[in-house]
Amino acid sequence: MLDQRFDPAEAETRLYKAWEDSGCFKPSGDTSAQAYSIVIPPPNVTGVLHMGHALNNTLQDVLVRFERMRGKNVLWQPGTDHAGIATQMVVERQMAAEGKNESRASLGREAFVDRVWAWKEESGGAIVGQLKRLGASCDWSREAFTMGDRNDPDNNMMRAVTKVFVELYNKGLIYRDKRLVNWDPHFQTAISDLEVDQREVAGHYWHLRYPLAGGVTYEHPVKDEDGNVTGTETRDYIVVATSRPETMLGDTGVAVHPDDERYAGLVGNFVTLPIVGRRVPIIADAYADPTKGSGAVKITPAHDFNDFEVGKRAGHTPLNILNATAHIVDGADADAAGIPADYQGLERFDARKKVVAAFEAAELLQEIENLKIEQPFGDRSNVVIEPWMTDQWYVEAKTMAQPAIAAVKDGKTCFVPETWEKTYYNWMENIQPWCISRQLWWGHRIPAWFAEDGTIYVAQSEDEAQAQAGKGVQLKQDEDVLDTWFSSALWPFSTMGWPDKTPDLETFYPTATLVTAFDIIFFWVARMMMMGLEFTGQVPFKDIYIHALVLDEKGQKMSKSKGNAMDPLELVDEYGADALRFTMGRMAGQGRNIRLSKLAVEGNRNFATKLWNAARFAEMNECGAPGEIDFAKVTSPVNRWILGELAACEAEATKAIEDYRFNDAAGALYKFVWNVLCDWYLELIKPLLMGMDDAAKQETRDVCGYVLDETLKLLHPFMPFVTEELWDRRAAGRVEEQGFLMGQTWPKYAITRDADADTEIQWVLDLISEIRSLRNDLGVPAGSKIPLSLVNAGPVIEDMAVRHEDILKRLARLEDIIVSDTVPVGAVSTVVGETVVALNIADQIDVAEARKRLDKEIAQLDKDIMSTEKKLGNEAFVAKAPPEIVEENRERIVDWTDRREKLKAARKSLEGL
């Protein structure tokens, strides 16, 4: 006997363990079956499950459960990323908290790396357990780690990374260069753009006067308050504005636009930099924007990415004025820039104050403009990031990008939605060298060794490097490690055993689908494409499904600082994993962000309860698990109708999942279960189940049980736990005999819809719905039973009314059903199909009050429709509002218009009463 309710807390852990213990998550190994594989985007080993993970892994799990049931040989490859900077930070903080006065430096590299490995084995990977809570059916026996297994002497992940680095170096596609990077002064390492958090902060623009060298002057236009030129003034200086005044110590020039007439005569002249006394040229470059500020821009190639390019075009030598901890340099670098001794060694913000004070004292500070500025922060260190010039290793990404661009253009890999192709092309066609070195200890150490004379030897091992250098040459390995994204770029094939030619690589590569977020198209997707094509000759995946963001219910990004972040595990604890998963599925429309609320998750918990109660109804009415049904032998119209509806639902859900329209698949299932099966079918069959016709009763029991079991199969990819529990509990011993629900065959029905049965049942449903709607609109008391007249109904309608009299009376709250020639006095009429139906309600309502209420509601709808149409007619609103908000407003107009027409019809029906 089924319990009164489903208990997710008890069932989920038990069912997941049973699946895993039985090997349900492993590939079938059937080499005759089509292979289907997905590699999980490896979460950081330090990570905890957030809403983005919950969405991403729910959608992957829907796909792999669906394809398993379709008989494919499915591999969902799991694993975690070593997350260089994040993991190193966690361990360093742990050491500091222990109070033993230990640090990374005091331990030394080898001991510190051992300490990180120990942390990883003991505490890392908590997110794996959290993914299991969600129901993720990965083959955990194959769990990979981007650093591999340190205890495996044949560590293929390490071998893969080393092989790729060495081969790319030998092809000239990896090289060492001095360029600008995002530098984190706290961790003293280069970081990727993804690890830079651009924040809007209160800041300043300091407008500085740079004196013109050699006594040069020029006439500068003077404007009034309205911006009109009223004359000129003679100036012996040019004004530049900066949010980082300290960087002027490293300026190599001032740029003006080639077409800016104000400064045309100054190009080729010089300014004398205050404080350092260095002469730097005024150059013409289109980077300078005549409409912003003074139109003149200071150029600091060593400390600004745009300035670096301007300086390169002008042939300037960059001057580095900051060290690794963001203090003003000393020694040779300071001498090259002419930095006075009292500035050397100053922390950058102290240097800023000193520079500003010096300009003010020299009467060269024109003004200080207070405004909001975008400032880059390290997402983990929370310190301001500096563009800094340093020696790093780079991948020649432009060359490697070409085959990856062609693969998408040729259709070998497809983006879903297709609109993301533009983003991919835009980045790939403008790709910059990829900085792959990091000044950390945790990660894949770069396989490069330096001789004392600076010669670099890149090799698979130290012995190989020594052989290249020759005996007696002292070598020292590069201290840096590779960017985490470097090893992640190999993930689709390194997890399959590459560089070895393994059966897994042959069977499961290329993978079928990558499910990921748009923000790592650049950092991960593009790089996997480049590496996959370079080292396997094949694309790493055939489809790339880009899902949207999970926002709060108001459409705001979730953030702990805002207090609007939602913890998926808390939602699982409160409502169950199925409720959260189905919510994600129903809301995962292509290109539309998800606006998540607890109310939505609660609503889908109620859906699970609805399904559970349907199973209890079936159990109480002896609707068991009959196995297959012969549609040709089913006679009752209602049973033939529900089988047709089931087949239509299967077809719609199948096509939608195949097309990655998860919301459409979940929506079709929701509609079928809630509206068709529970709200209608189970009500419509009650007279048959309680009737005296034993054959009809047994047929109905069989069909009801069959439809319920088939529904469990269709729902399983989205709601694995409640469906598996019902599969087991509805038929004792079924799991032992037939296996778990997740191992059943995905339905495919050879059912041709019965047009006559569909027409008959639809007439019943439409009639009940119309009567209910009319009663509600006119304010008929819910408990009142009223007479129904079928006006001039023919024999077919009359026969249907007789056959379904009991259900019509009960569900529409009717006192009697008669056939008449005219609409009775005191009745309101409407049309259902081609049938005029009349409800005698004059004695049940206050007609005048009903008219008044309907007029008021119609007027309000008129107002709402007009207001929303006006909003949508505003081009600025449509352009700025999120697409989902625009669509929501359009849907409101459709709904309101339908509602208004219904109310107008109801209002018209009251005329003459």
Side-chain angles (χ1 to χ4, degrees), residues 797-814:
I797 297 297
E798 189 173 349
D799 286 347
M800 288 195 295
V802 170
R803 278 198 300 275
H804 299 285
E805 183 177 9
D806 289 345
I807 203 71
L808 289 170
K809 284 183 176 179
R810 184 161 60 84
L811 297 184
R813 304 292 293 166
L814 300 176

Side-chain angles (χ1 to χ4, degrees), residues 769-783:
S769 298
E770 186 63 26
I771 293 170
R772 284 175 170 176
S773 176
L774 201 54
R775 288 178 63 120
N776 179 65
D777 292 342
L778 297 176
V780 176

Side-chain angles (χ1 to χ4, degrees), residues 285-451:
D285 194 284
Y287 171 65
D289 186 345
T291 66
K292 289 185 178 179
S294 69
V297 183
K298 62 188 284 299
I299 302 301
T300 320
H303 297 284
D304 183 277
F305 289 101
N306 291 315
D307 290 4
F308 179 81
E309 298 300 328
V310 175
K312 189 162 66 172
R313 289 193 290 271
H316 293 185
T317 300
L319 296 172
N320 194 16
I321 60 116
L322 294 175
N323 64 18
T325 58
H327 288 68
I328 302 298
V329 293
D330 54 19
D333 283 342
D335 293 342
I339 300 172
D342 56 338
Y343 283 81
Q344 296 176 25
L346 287 178
E347 194 276 332
R348 55 182 163 168
F349 298 120
D350 291 335
R352 178 176 299 178
K353 294 174 185 175
K354 191 172 180 68
V355 166
V356 171
F359 269 81
E360 190 169 22
E363 297 184 347
L364 296 174
L365 178 63
Q366 178 152 308
E367 68 169 306
I368 301 174
E369 184 181 359
N370 300 319
L371 73 171
K372 294 282 187 181
I373 61 171
E374 287 282 321
Q375 200 162 42
F377 286 80
D379 66 347
R380 300 189 186 280
S381 65
N382 282 313
V383 302
V384 176
I385 296 303
E386 287 290 343
W388 196 52
M389 199 150 199
T390 180
D391 289 310
Q392 302 286 347
W393 290 93
Y394 291 88
V395 171
E396 177 44 61
K398 192 169 188 65
T399 301
M400 294 188 69
Q402 302 315 307
I405 293 170
V408 175
K409 288 187 174 178
D410 293 344
K412 293 176 182 176
T413 293
C414 301
F415 277 87
V416 182
E418 191 177 350
T419 50
W420 287 109
E421 284 185 5
K422 294 178 182 177
T423 303
Y424 175 79
Y425 291 142
N426 183 58
W427 192 72
M428 293 291 267
E429 289 165 359
N430 296 282
I431 199 166
Q432 297 296 309
W434 170 19
C435 177
I436 56 171
S437 46
R438 297 292 182 266
Q439 290 63 54
L440 303 169
W441 285 356
W442 174 244
H444 289 274
R445 194 166 178 180
I446 292 175
W449 285 262
F450 295 86

Side-chain angles (χ1 to χ4, degrees), residues 850-864:
R851 289 190 187 116
K852 183 179 177 183
R853 180 173 54 79
L854 289 169
D855 287 342
K856 182 179 179 181
E857 192 171 346
I858 290 167
Q860 182 61 49
L861 285 168
D862 285 338
K863 182 179 177 182
D864 292 341

Side-chain angles (χ1 to χ4, degrees), residues 630-640 693 695-696 699 703 754 757:
D630 185 348
F631 181 69
K633 293 181 179 179
V634 175
T635 60
S636 170
V638 71
N639 289 329
R640 292 180 70 80
D693 186 333
E699 176 189 281
V703 170
D754 184 331

